Amino acid sequence: MQTNNTLKLIAAMALFSSLPFAAHAQRIWDGETDGDWQEATNWDGNTTIPSSGNALQFGAATTYAVINSPSTNFGTLRFLSTAGANYSLSGNTTNNEIYGTVTVEGSASATNHTINNRFRLNNKTFDIQSTSTSLTLNNFDYGGSSRTLTKNGDGTLILTNNATNPGELKLNGGTVDYQNNVGTGNGRLHINGSNSSAVVTNSTGTSRTLHFGYQDGTVSASFAGSITGNLNVNNGRTSVSASGINQTFTGTSASTYTGTTGLNAGTWTLNGTHTGGDNYTISGGTDNSGTLAGSGSIVLADNTKTFSFTGASGQLAALNPGESGTDTSTLTLGSGSIDTVVNLNDFSELRVDIGGGTASDRLDIFGDLNLDPGSSLNLLSLGGAWDGSTYTVATFSNLSGTFGTVNGLDSGYQVNYGSNDITLSVIPEPSTLVLIGIALASLGLLRRRKR
């Protein structure tokens, strides 16, 4: 038994030693001579430069512009955020890879590090710990469209020149700033996480498109942060049908991205605000609806911008104040200074939860509501609904058209289309005078027949 355990221990040690970074010590840059990576005296020990698999640390050295770095794969990469120590690594033009986590330590002092080498991400984790720190990758490659970049910590990761193989991003905190291509090529950029303070932004003057969720629909995505900058946002899949796949944005803070928003088979639950954006286009997806929901406020850039809902048979485009089946909420589109237009076109629906005591979801539009004959009003009864109260389900400045279909309406209620609102009220009982008139008319008709 003892011999057997010894053999297992030897095998385990051999396996451990074969790992890329396990057999190599940490190497620390001290920059004693100059900024040349290839100069051994710039590294601890002063005898050799780092070899493949070494764990690298850049700390409080005197030289921060490091040049001539080789095309070698290393273990982990760690930056110590010492005041003024803004490192810049440059050298190789072919893919350089770090096997482990890239860490920028937290600090009260602002530090901004840069990797100019061509950097293959290949399922890497970046832990940028402080809001005062950032790391810029000036030339990177995901390493394959199925690969993942994970961003942790409250700091900022800046990505530029994503030339090939857009992959997956899991943003668990802080900020990711795209300063060049976003989701080009395969177009697959998967935003995942639930940290409400996480931010996706594009700080350049060039408009880019953020594909929220895998376009091919193989993975569900969810994000609860905010989106800012010069970005268009596309949510949902376009190429395959995959039941149970959903892309959900649960924004509870302020988004200020300036581009368009396209929803296809995904849910945009905005419980915060979005201001200054372009047109919203919501369409039905391959096996379920694109849905704009939430209890927040969306104010587009100006009164030429619109919200347009157009689905297909079995693939409705939905507008859902609040969240269906939970409680009653109000979703506001437009503002007192910026009117907007909401078009509920063919195969679109307004979803409204109905409660007791006049409580219901409500859509407040500062502007026009246009209803196509192919649109529908779908009502879901919560506890205590249809108690004789009048419910206001939408307000607006102007109304065109009526819903072609109304589902879920209590048999004792009717839909009223007013000049500035849509309400649900109890069907009135015939008045006494009306009943007398009906009776007299019937009596007169009977006398004429007798003659």
Side-chain angles (χ1 to χ4, degrees):
M1 178 67 71
Q2 184 174 3
T3 301
N4 192 30
N5 288 338
T6 301
L7 290 174
K8 290 181 178 179
L9 178 60
I10 293 172
M13 292 176 64
L15 175 62
F16 181 77
S17 66
S18 68
L19 295 175
F21 52 85
H24 300 276
Q26 175 176 268
R27 298 301 308 276
I28 300 174
W29 170 267
D30 55 33
E32 290 182 3
T33 303
D34 52 27
D36 190 348
W37 183 298
Q38 306 292 339
E39 173 56 54
T41 58
N42 287 320
W43 295 93
D44 58 319
N46 297 330
T47 56
T48 62
I49 66 172
S51 57
S52 178
N54 280 161
L56 304 180
Q57 176 179 303
F58 293 85
T62 57
T63 305
Y64 308 120
V66 183
I67 62 173
N68 295 327
S69 61
S71 299
T72 303
N73 297 327
F74 295 102
T76 58
L77 177 59
R78 182 178 174 216
F79 293 97
L80 305 184
S81 289
T82 304
N86 297 314
Y87 280 95
S88 174
L89 310 185
S90 304
N92 66 307
T93 57
T94 57
N95 279 325
N96 197 193
E97 189 168 338
I98 303 297
Y99 290 119
T101 298
V102 178
T103 303
V104 179
E105 289 195 348
S107 171
S109 303
T111 55
N112 304 285
H113 306 298
T114 303
I115 299 177
N116 294 307
N117 303 334
R118 184 164 177 78
F119 195 97
R120 176 169 286 168
L121 301 182
N122 232 359
N123 299 325
K124 293 302 173 294
T125 296
F126 290 80
D127 185 10
I128 306 172
Q129 298 173 356
S130 172
T131 55
S132 64
T133 60
S134 71
L135 175 64
T136 300
L137 302 184
N138 275 332
N139 193 348
F140 72 97
D141 178 356
Y142 274 97
S145 59
S146 63
R147 306 304 172 88
T148 302
L149 183 161
T150 300
K151 164 63 177 63
N152 296 329
D154 295 329
T156 299
L157 178 64
I158 301 170
L159 303 175
T160 70
N161 297 321
N162 177 15
T164 57
N165 293 324
E168 171 186 353
L169 169 67
K170 290 185 178 180
L171 177 55
N172 296 322
T175 300
V176 168
D177 183 354
Y178 291 96
Q179 295 188 349
N180 204 319
N181 299 321
V182 179
T184 55
N186 294 329
R188 306 204 305 187
L189 184 60
H190 172 195
I191 302 297
N192 188 22
S194 59
N195 190 323
S196 61
S197 64
V199 177
V200 178
T201 188
N202 171 27
S203 60
T204 67
T206 303
S207 177
R208 301 294 179 186
T209 297
L210 169 66
H211 296 287
F212 178 82
Y214 270 122
Q215 273 194 302
D216 66 2
T218 58
V219 178
S220 294
S222 126
F223 177 60
S226 62
I227 301 172
T228 69
N230 195 2
L231 283 169
N232 300 308
V233 176
N234 285 342
N235 184 22
R237 56 193 180 278
T238 59
S239 60
V240 300
S241 174
S243 61
I245 301 301
N246 191 33
Q247 288 84 38
T248 303
F249 174 74
T250 53
T252 57
S253 53
S255 288
T256 56
Y257 64 93
T258 57
T260 60
T261 303
L263 310 183
N264 174 26
T267 301
W268 214 239
T269 306
L270 190 82
N271 293 323
T273 61
H274 177 203
T275 57
D278 208 315
N279 298 324
Y280 270 62
T281 302
I282 294 86
S283 57
T286 52
D287 61 358
N288 61 6
S289 62
T291 302
L292 176 62
S295 56
S297 171
I298 304 175
V299 181
L300 302 182
D302 56 59
N303 57 13
T304 67
K305 313 304 181 186
T306 64
F307 295 85
S308 181
F309 296 77
T310 307
S313 178
Q315 301 163 11
L316 299 178
L319 178 55
N320 180 195
E323 297 179 52
S324 184
T326 58
D327 54 17
T328 56
S329 305
T330 299
L331 177 63
T332 302
L333 305 181
S335 70
S337 58
I338 299 180
D339 288 349
T340 191
V341 175
V342 179
N343 298 312
L344 290 178
N345 300 315
D346 203 16
F347 293 107
S348 66
E349 65 175 358
L350 175 62
R351 298 176 185 167
V352 175
D353 291 342
I354 303 296
T358 74
S360 70
D361 288 338
R362 190 174 79 238
L363 174 66
D364 284 348
I365 302 172
F366 287 85
D368 301 342
L369 174 60
N370 300 318
L371 301 177
D372 186 272
S375 66
S376 62
L377 173 63
N378 288 313
L379 307 169
L380 178 63
S381 175
L382 303 178
W386 314 119
D387 59 359
S389 302
T390 297
Y391 303 97
T392 300
V393 298
T395 66
F396 37 76
S397 300
N398 300 287
L399 175 66
S400 173
T402 60
F403 292 108
T405 306
V406 178
N407 302 309
L409 183 68
D410 185 86
S411 59
Y413 271 73
Q414 65 184 10
V415 180
N416 310 300
Y417 297 93
S419 57
N420 298 115
D421 60 22
I422 298 175
T423 61
L424 311 175
S425 65
V426 174
I427 298 173
E429 295 289 342
S431 67
T432 302
L433 291 177
V434 171
L435 292 174
I436 292 174
I438 293 174
L440 292 175
S442 299
L443 181 61
L445 178 61
L446 180 61
R447 287 175 177 174
R448 285 195 297 273
R449 286 180 177 175
K450 287 182 177 180
R451 292 175 184 172

Coordinates of all heavy atoms in Angstrom, one line a residue, residues 162-221:
N162 N -8.7 44.7 -32.0 CA -9.1 43.3 -32.0 C -9.2 42.8 -33.5 O -10.3 42.9 -34.0 CB -10.4 43.1 -31.2 CG -10.9 41.7 -31.3 OD1 -10.1 40.8 -31.6 ND2 -12.1 41.5 -30.9
A163 N -8.1 42.3 -34.0 CA -8.1 42.1 -35.5 C -8.7 40.8 -35.8 O -9.3 40.6 -36.9 CB -6.6 42.1 -36.0
T164 N -8.6 39.8 -35.0 CA -9.1 38.4 -35.4 C -9.8 37.7 -34.2 O -9.6 38.1 -33.0 CB -8.0 37.5 -35.8 OG1 -7.0 37.5 -34.8 CG2 -7.3 38.1 -37.1
N165 N -10.6 36.8 -34.6 CA -11.2 35.8 -33.6 C -12.0 36.5 -32.4 O -11.6 36.2 -31.3 CB -10.2 34.9 -33.1 CG -9.6 33.9 -34.1 OD1 -10.4 33.5 -35.0 ND2 -8.4 33.6 -34.1
P166 N -13.0 37.3 -32.7 CA -13.7 37.8 -31.5 C -14.3 36.7 -30.7 O -14.9 35.7 -31.3 CB -14.8 38.6 -32.2 CG -14.4 38.9 -33.6 CD -13.5 37.7 -33.9
G167 N -14.2 36.7 -29.4 CA -14.6 35.6 -28.6 C -15.7 36.1 -27.6 O -16.5 36.9 -27.9
E168 N -15.5 35.6 -26.4 CA -16.5 35.8 -25.3 C -15.9 36.7 -24.2 O -14.8 36.5 -23.8 CB -17.0 34.5 -24.8 CG -17.8 34.5 -23.5 CD -18.1 33.1 -23.0 OE1 -17.7 32.1 -23.6 OE2 -18.6 33.0 -21.9
L169 N -16.7 37.6 -23.7 CA -16.3 38.4 -22.6 C -17.3 38.2 -21.4 O -18.5 38.3 -21.6 CB -16.4 39.9 -22.9 CG -16.2 40.9 -21.8 CD1 -14.8 40.8 -21.2 CD2 -16.5 42.3 -22.2
K170 N -16.7 37.8 -20.3 CA -17.5 37.8 -19.0 C -17.0 38.9 -18.2 O -15.9 38.9 -17.6 CB -17.2 36.4 -18.3 CG -17.8 35.3 -19.1 CD -17.7 34.0 -18.3 CE -18.4 32.8 -19.0 NZ -18.3 31.5 -18.3
L171 N -17.9 39.9 -18.1 CA -17.5 41.1 -17.3 C -18.2 41.0 -15.9 O -19.4 41.2 -15.8 CB -18.1 42.4 -18.1 CG -17.9 43.7 -17.4 CD1 -16.4 44.0 -17.0 CD2 -18.4 44.8 -18.3
N172 N -17.4 40.8 -14.9 CA -17.9 40.6 -13.6 C -17.7 41.9 -12.7 O -18.0 41.8 -11.5 CB -17.2 39.4 -12.9 CG -17.5 38.1 -13.7 OD1 -18.6 37.9 -14.1 ND2 -16.5 37.3 -13.8
G173 N -17.1 42.9 -13.2 CA -16.9 44.1 -12.5 C -16.1 45.1 -13.2 O -15.4 44.8 -14.2
G174 N -16.1 46.4 -12.7 CA -15.3 47.4 -13.3 C -15.8 47.8 -14.7 O -17.0 47.8 -15.0
T175 N -14.8 48.2 -15.6 CA -15.1 48.8 -16.9 C -14.3 48.1 -18.0 O -13.1 47.8 -17.8 CB -14.9 50.3 -16.9 OG1 -15.6 50.9 -16.0 CG2 -15.2 50.9 -18.3
V176 N -15.0 47.7 -19.1 CA -14.3 47.3 -20.3 C -14.5 48.4 -21.3 O -15.7 48.7 -21.6 CB -14.7 46.0 -20.8 CG1 -14.2 45.7 -22.2 CG2 -14.2 44.9 -19.9
D177 N -13.4 49.0 -21.9 CA -13.5 50.1 -22.8 C -13.0 49.6 -24.2 O -11.8 49.3 -24.3 CB -12.7 51.3 -22.3 CG -12.8 52.5 -23.2 OD1 -13.4 52.4 -24.3 OD2 -12.2 53.5 -22.9
Y178 N -13.9 49.5 -25.2 CA -13.5 49.1 -26.5 C -13.1 50.3 -27.3 O -14.0 51.2 -27.5 CB -14.7 48.4 -27.2 CG -14.9 47.0 -26.6 CD1 -15.9 46.9 -25.6 CD2 -14.2 45.9 -26.9 CE1 -16.2 45.7 -25.1 CE2 -14.5 44.7 -26.4 CZ -15.5 44.6 -25.4 OH -15.7 43.4 -24.8
Q179 N -11.9 50.3 -27.8 CA -11.5 51.5 -28.6 C -11.2 51.2 -30.0 O -10.6 52.0 -30.7 CB -10.2 52.1 -27.9 CG -10.5 52.7 -26.5 CD -9.4 53.4 -25.9 OE1 -8.3 53.4 -26.4 NE2 -9.6 54.1 -24.8
N180 N -11.6 50.0 -30.5 CA -11.5 49.7 -31.9 C -12.6 48.7 -32.2 O -13.7 48.9 -31.9 CB -10.1 49.2 -32.2 CG -9.8 49.5 -33.7 OD1 -10.6 49.3 -34.6 ND2 -8.6 49.9 -34.0
N181 N -12.2 47.7 -32.9 CA -13.2 46.7 -33.4 C -14.0 46.0 -32.2 O -13.3 45.5 -31.3 CB -12.6 45.7 -34.3 CG -11.9 46.3 -35.5 OD1 -12.5 47.2 -36.1 ND2 -10.8 45.8 -35.9
V182 N -15.3 46.0 -32.3 CA -16.1 45.4 -31.3 C -16.9 44.3 -32.0 O -17.9 44.6 -32.7 CB -16.9 46.4 -30.5 CG1 -17.8 45.7 -29.5 CG2 -16.1 47.4 -29.9
G183 N -16.7 43.1 -31.7 CA -17.5 42.0 -32.2 C -17.5 41.9 -33.7 O -18.6 41.5 -34.3
T184 N -16.4 42.2 -34.4 CA -16.4 42.1 -35.9 C -16.1 40.6 -36.2 O -15.9 39.8 -35.3 CB -15.4 43.0 -36.5 OG1 -14.1 42.7 -35.9 CG2 -15.7 44.4 -36.3
G185 N -15.9 40.3 -37.4 CA -15.6 38.9 -37.8 C -16.8 38.0 -37.4 O -17.9 38.2 -38.0
N186 N -16.7 37.1 -36.5 CA -17.8 36.2 -36.1 C -18.9 37.0 -35.4 O -20.0 36.5 -35.3 CB -17.3 35.1 -35.2 CG -16.4 34.1 -36.0 OD1 -16.5 33.9 -37.2 ND2 -15.5 33.5 -35.3
G187 N -18.5 38.2 -34.9 CA -19.5 39.0 -34.2 C -20.0 38.5 -32.9 O -21.1 38.8 -32.5
R188 N -19.2 37.6 -32.2 CA -19.7 37.0 -31.0 C -19.0 37.7 -29.8 O -17.9 37.4 -29.5 CB -19.4 35.5 -31.0 CG -19.9 34.9 -32.3 CD -20.2 33.4 -32.1 NE -19.0 32.7 -31.6 CZ -19.0 31.3 -31.5 NH1 -20.1 30.6 -31.9 NH2 -18.0 30.7 -31.1
L189 N -19.7 38.5 -29.1 CA -19.2 39.1 -27.9 C -20.3 38.9 -26.8 O -21.4 39.4 -26.9 CB -19.0 40.6 -28.1 CG -18.4 41.3 -26.9 CD1 -17.1 40.7 -26.6 CD2 -18.3 42.8 -27.2
H190 N -20.0 38.0 -25.9 CA -20.9 37.6 -24.9 C -20.6 38.3 -23.6 O -19.6 38.2 -22.9 CB -20.7 36.1 -24.7 CG -21.5 35.5 -23.6 ND1 -21.2 34.2 -23.1 CD2 -22.5 35.9 -22.8 CE1 -22.0 33.9 -22.1 NE2 -22.8 34.9 -21.9
I191 N -21.6 39.2 -23.2 CA -21.5 39.9 -21.9 C -22.2 39.2 -20.9 O -23.4 38.9 -21.0 CB -22.1 41.3 -22.1 CG1 -21.4 42.1 -23.2 CG2 -21.9 42.1 -20.8 CD1 -19.9 42.4 -22.9
N192 N -21.5 38.8 -19.8 CA -22.1 38.0 -18.7 C -21.7 38.6 -17.4 O -20.6 39.2 -17.2 CB -21.7 36.6 -18.8 CG -22.4 35.7 -17.9 OD1 -23.5 36.0 -17.5 ND2 -21.8 34.6 -17.6
G193 N -22.6 38.5 -16.4 CA -22.3 39.0 -15.1 C -23.4 39.7 -14.4 O -24.4 39.9 -15.1
S194 N -23.4 39.9 -13.2 CA -24.5 40.5 -12.5 C -24.0 41.7 -11.6 O -24.8 42.3 -10.8 CB -25.1 39.5 -11.5 OG -24.2 39.0 -10.6
N195 N -22.8 42.2 -11.8 CA -22.3 43.4 -11.1 C -22.9 44.6 -11.6 O -22.7 45.0 -12.7 CB -20.8 43.4 -11.1 CG -20.2 44.5 -10.2 OD1 -20.8 45.5 -10.0 ND2 -19.1 44.1 -9.6
S196 N -23.8 45.3 -10.8 CA -24.5 46.4 -11.3 C -23.6 47.6 -11.6 O -24.0 48.6 -12.2 CB -25.6 46.8 -10.3 OG -25.1 47.2 -9.1
S197 N -22.4 47.6 -11.1 CA -21.5 48.7 -11.3 C -20.6 48.5 -12.6 O -19.8 49.4 -12.9 CB -20.6 49.0 -10.1 OG -19.7 47.9 -9.9
A198 N -20.7 47.4 -13.2 CA -19.8 47.1 -14.4 C -20.3 48.0 -15.5 O -21.5 48.3 -15.7 CB -19.9 45.6 -14.8
V199 N -19.3 48.4 -16.4 CA -19.6 49.3 -17.5 C -18.9 48.8 -18.8 O -17.8 48.4 -18.7 CB -19.1 50.7 -17.2 CG1 -19.3 51.7 -18.4 CG2 -19.7 51.3 -15.9
V200 N -19.7 48.8 -19.9 CA -19.1 48.6 -21.2 C -19.2 49.9 -21.9 O -20.2 50.6 -22.0 CB -19.9 47.5 -22.0 CG1 -19.3 47.4 -23.4 CG2 -19.9 46.2 -21.2
T201 N -18.0 50.3 -22.5 CA -18.0 51.6 -23.2 C -17.1 51.6 -24.4 O -16.3 50.7 -24.6 CB -17.5 52.8 -22.2 OG1 -17.7 54.0 -22.8 CG2 -16.1 52.6 -21.8
N202 N -17.3 52.6 -25.3 CA -16.5 52.8 -26.4 C -16.1 54.3 -26.4 O -17.0 55.1 -26.6 CB -17.1 52.5 -27.8 CG -16.3 52.9 -29.0 OD1 -15.1 53.0 -28.9 ND2 -17.0 53.2 -30.1
S203 N -14.9 54.6 -26.0 CA -14.6 56.0 -25.8 C -14.0 56.7 -27.0 O -13.6 57.9 -26.9 CB -13.5 56.1 -24.6 OG -12.4 55.4 -25.0
T204 N -14.0 56.1 -28.2 CA -13.5 56.7 -29.4 C -14.6 57.4 -30.1 O -15.7 57.3 -29.9 CB -12.8 55.6 -30.3 OG1 -13.9 54.8 -30.8 CG2 -11.8 54.8 -29.6
G205 N -14.2 58.2 -31.1 CA -15.1 58.9 -32.0 C -15.8 58.0 -33.0 O -16.7 58.4 -33.7
T206 N -15.2 56.8 -33.2 CA -15.7 55.9 -34.2 C -16.8 55.0 -33.7 O -16.6 54.4 -32.6 CB -14.6 55.0 -34.8 OG1 -13.6 55.9 -35.3 CG2 -15.1 54.1 -35.9
S207 N -18.0 55.0 -34.3 CA -19.1 54.2 -33.8 C -18.8 52.7 -34.0 O -18.3 52.3 -35.1 CB -20.4 54.5 -34.6 OG -21.4 53.7 -34.2
R208 N -19.1 51.9 -33.0 CA -18.9 50.5 -33.0 C -20.1 49.8 -32.6 O -21.0 50.4 -32.0 CB -17.7 50.1 -32.1 CG -16.4 50.7 -32.4 CD -15.9 50.3 -33.8 NE -14.6 50.9 -34.1 CZ -14.0 50.8 -35.3 NH1 -14.5 50.0 -36.2 NH2 -12.8 51.4 -35.5
T209 N -20.2 48.5 -32.9 CA -21.4 47.7 -32.5 C -21.0 46.7 -31.5 O -20.1 45.9 -31.7 CB -22.0 47.0 -33.8 OG1 -22.4 48.0 -34.7 CG2 -23.2 46.2 -33.4
L210 N -21.8 46.7 -30.4 CA -21.6 45.7 -29.3 C -22.7 44.7 -29.5 O -23.9 44.9 -29.5 CB -21.8 46.4 -28.0 CG -21.9 45.5 -26.8 CD1 -20.6 44.7 -26.6 CD2 -22.2 46.3 -25.5
H211 N -22.2 43.4 -29.8 CA -23.2 42.3 -29.9 C -23.4 41.7 -28.5 O -22.5 41.0 -28.0 CB -22.6 41.3 -30.9 CG -22.5 41.7 -32.3 ND1 -23.6 42.0 -33.1 CD2 -21.4 42.1 -33.0 CE1 -23.2 42.4 -34.3 NE2 -21.9 42.5 -34.2
F212 N -24.5 42.0 -27.9 CA -24.8 41.6 -26.6 C -25.4 40.2 -26.7 O -26.4 39.9 -27.2 CB -25.8 42.5 -25.9 CG -26.2 42.1 -24.5 CD1 -25.4 42.3 -23.5 CD2 -27.3 41.4 -24.3 CE1 -25.7 41.9 -22.2 CE2 -27.7 40.9 -23.1 CZ -26.9 41.2 -22.0
G213 N -24.6 39.2 -26.2 CA -25.0 37.8 -26.3 C -24.5 37.2 -27.6 O -24.2 37.8 -28.6
Y214 N -24.3 35.9 -27.6 CA -23.8 35.2 -28.8 C -24.8 35.3 -29.9 O -26.0 35.0 -29.7 CB -23.6 33.7 -28.5 CG -22.3 33.3 -27.9 CD1 -22.1 32.7 -26.7 CD2 -21.1 33.6 -28.7 CE1 -20.9 32.4 -26.2 CE2 -19.9 33.3 -28.2 CZ -19.8 32.6 -27.0 OH -18.5 32.3 -26.5
Q215 N -24.3 35.7 -31.0 CA -25.2 35.8 -32.2 C -25.8 34.5 -32.6 O -26.9 34.4 -33.1 CB -24.5 36.5 -33.4 CG -24.6 38.0 -33.3 CD -24.2 38.6 -34.7 OE1 -23.1 38.4 -35.1 NE2 -25.1 39.3 -35.3
D216 N -25.0 33.4 -32.5 CA -25.5 32.1 -32.9 C -26.4 31.5 -31.9 O -26.9 30.4 -32.2 CB -24.3 31.2 -33.3 CG -23.5 30.8 -32.1 OD1 -23.8 31.2 -31.0 OD2 -22.5 30.1 -32.3
G217 N -26.6 32.1 -30.7 CA -27.6 31.6 -29.8 C -27.3 30.3 -29.1 O -28.2 29.6 -28.6
T218 N -26.0 30.0 -28.9 CA -25.7 28.8 -28.2 C -25.6 29.0 -26.7 O -25.6 28.0 -25.9 CB -24.4 28.2 -28.7 OG1 -23.3 29.1 -28.5 CG2 -24.5 27.9 -30.2
V219 N -25.5 30.2 -26.2 CA -25.3 30.4 -24.8 C -26.2 31.6 -24.3 O -26.3 32.6 -25.0 CB -23.8 30.8 -24.5 CG1 -23.6 31.1 -23.0 CG2 -22.9 29.6 -24.9
S220 N -26.8 31.4 -23.1 CA -27.6 32.5 -22.6 C -26.6 33.6 -22.0 O -25.5 33.2 -21.6 CB -28.4 32.0 -21.4 OG -29.4 31.1 -21.9
A221 N -27.0 34.8 -22.1 CA -26.2 35.9 -21.6 C -27.0 36.8 -20.7 O -28.2 37.0 -20.9 CB -25.6 36.7 -22.8

